[in-house]
């Protein structure tokens, strides 16, 4: 499989961005989808200190995978928000390749800021214990095994995802961490503080009061 990797922006990738957002809508149920304008906001707010990546993998000019992530320079870790593969390509290893390519780019961010390497990559994942039926339980277990195979470990901390839209309640999730540099790794609590502040407050505009309630959940 020959994959071309491309990062999307607001200026010269309108057609690809539309295609990527269609795959995004197809891949995630409505209750876990951020609004499309937040992708544009994340791209617009991207800076050297808090860089945003909207990465797509293309085969024959068509998008077969996507991933989005933030790099937080002061804390030196990457936070993968979404990962999706085209339905026709699932099970081919494209998900693993997409995460590895994103991790490579996050590591370049770290080195551009003078670090020896990226300290860690983190992400959120559904708990198997919150599944509504046996099928969802099996899917969640498969996803956890997939992340474990890539080096992610479930942090020993209570974590809830802040509301993605008005009226939604916080969602208990696993916080998964792939530690890449033990000498500069943060504690799970420090990681949560950075994610809440730099992502959910500044980008999603979740209020500090709501985030404080999430920390107490």
């Amino acid at each position: 499989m020959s994959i071309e990797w491309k990062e999307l922006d607001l200026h010269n990738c309108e057609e690809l961005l539309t295609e990527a957002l269609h795959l995004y809508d197809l891949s995630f149920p409505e209750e876990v989808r951020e609004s499309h304008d937040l992708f544009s906001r994340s791209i617009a707010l991207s800076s050297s200190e808090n860089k945003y990546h909207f990465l797509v993998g293309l085969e024959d000019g068509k998008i077969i995978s996507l991933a989005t992530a933030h790099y937080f320079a002061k804390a030196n870790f990457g936070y993968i928000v979404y990962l999706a593969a085209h339905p026709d390509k699932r099970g081919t290893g494209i998900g693993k390749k997409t995460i590895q390519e994103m991790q490579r780019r996050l590591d370049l961010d770290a080195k551009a800021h003078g670090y020896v390497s990226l300290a860690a990559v983190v992400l959120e994942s559904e708990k198997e214990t919150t599944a509504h039926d046996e099928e969802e339980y099996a899917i969640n277990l498969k996803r956890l095994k997939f992340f474990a195979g890539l080096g992610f470990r479930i942090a020993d901390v209570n974590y809830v995802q802040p509301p993605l839209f008005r009226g939604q309640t916080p969602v208990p999730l696993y916080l998964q961490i792939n530690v890449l540099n033990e000498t500069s790794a943060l504690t799970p609590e420090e990681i949560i503080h950075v994610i809440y502040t730099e992502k959910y407050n500044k980008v999603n505009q979740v209020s500090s009061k709501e985030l404080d309630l999430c920390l107490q959940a």
Side-chain angles (χ1 to χ4, degrees):
M1 183 188 302
S2 178
I3 305 170
E4 176 190 358
W5 301 105
K6 188 174 183 62
E7 292 216 28
L8 305 188
D9 58 38
L10 297 177
H11 305 293
N12 58 5
C13 298
E14 184 175 348
E15 185 175 336
L16 279 179
L17 184 58
T18 299
E19 185 181 344
L21 291 175
H22 175 71
L23 174 58
Y24 164 74
D25 290 340
L26 184 69
S27 302
F28 300 98
E30 186 175 359
E31 62 269 20
V32 300
R33 292 202 309 256
E34 295 179 333
S35 62
H36 288 185
D37 67 306
L38 275 177
F39 291 99
S40 299
R41 179 175 173 80
S42 296
I43 294 171
L45 291 174
S46 181
S47 66
S48 60
E49 288 299 306
N50 290 317
K51 189 168 182 179
Y52 181 70
H53 297 273
F54 194 137
L55 178 70
V56 295
L58 300 109
E59 186 178 53
D60 298 326
K62 299 295 183 181
I63 293 177
I64 60 172
S65 71
L66 68 84
T68 68
H70 297 263
Y71 171 71
F72 305 122
K74 290 182 179 179
N76 188 30
F77 73 86
Y79 166 49
I80 295 176
V81 185
Y82 289 107
L83 171 70
H86 192 281
D88 293 342
K89 295 296 180 180
R90 290 170 188 166
T92 65
I94 183 60
K96 178 180 179 180
K97 290 177 181 178
T98 304
I99 282 189
Q100 290 174 333
E101 177 62 21
M102 179 64 82
Q103 184 171 298
R104 186 186 72 81
R105 290 167 185 254
L106 293 168
D107 190 59
L108 290 176
D109 292 337
K111 289 173 180 175
H113 282 83
Y115 296 104
V116 174
S117 67
L118 187 67
V121 179
V122 306
L123 52 81
E124 303 161 343
S125 65
E126 293 85 355
K127 293 185 173 185
E128 75 283 9
T129 53
T130 59
H132 297 94
D133 52 42
E134 290 186 5
E135 181 181 6
E136 185 179 352
Y137 181 82
I139 291 172
N140 288 350
L141 280 181
K142 183 178 180 180
R143 188 177 291 118
L144 292 174
K145 184 178 180 179
F146 169 74
F147 289 130
L150 289 169
F152 288 89
R153 299 294 179 264
I154 297 171
D156 185 18
V157 64
N158 289 326
Y159 178 78
V160 297
Q161 181 188 63
L164 298 180
F165 46 83
R166 189 176 299 277
Q168 186 191 41
T169 57
V171 179
L173 295 175
Y174 286 134
L175 181 69
Q176 300 227 36
I177 306 174
N178 184 4
V179 176
L180 304 172
N181 187 337
E182 293 281 357
T183 61
S184 58
L186 302 176
T187 66
E189 290 78 10
E190 290 171 326
I191 287 173
I192 292 171
H193 174 75
V194 173
I195 292 173
Y196 277 15
T197 302
E198 301 300 327
K199 160 62 171 156
Y200 286 105
N201 180 254
K202 293 184 179 179
V203 179
N204 293 54
Q205 298 183 312
V206 178
S207 71
S208 297
K209 182 178 179 180
E210 284 184 282
L211 293 174
D212 286 341
L213 291 174
C214 290
L215 289 173
Q216 298 167 23

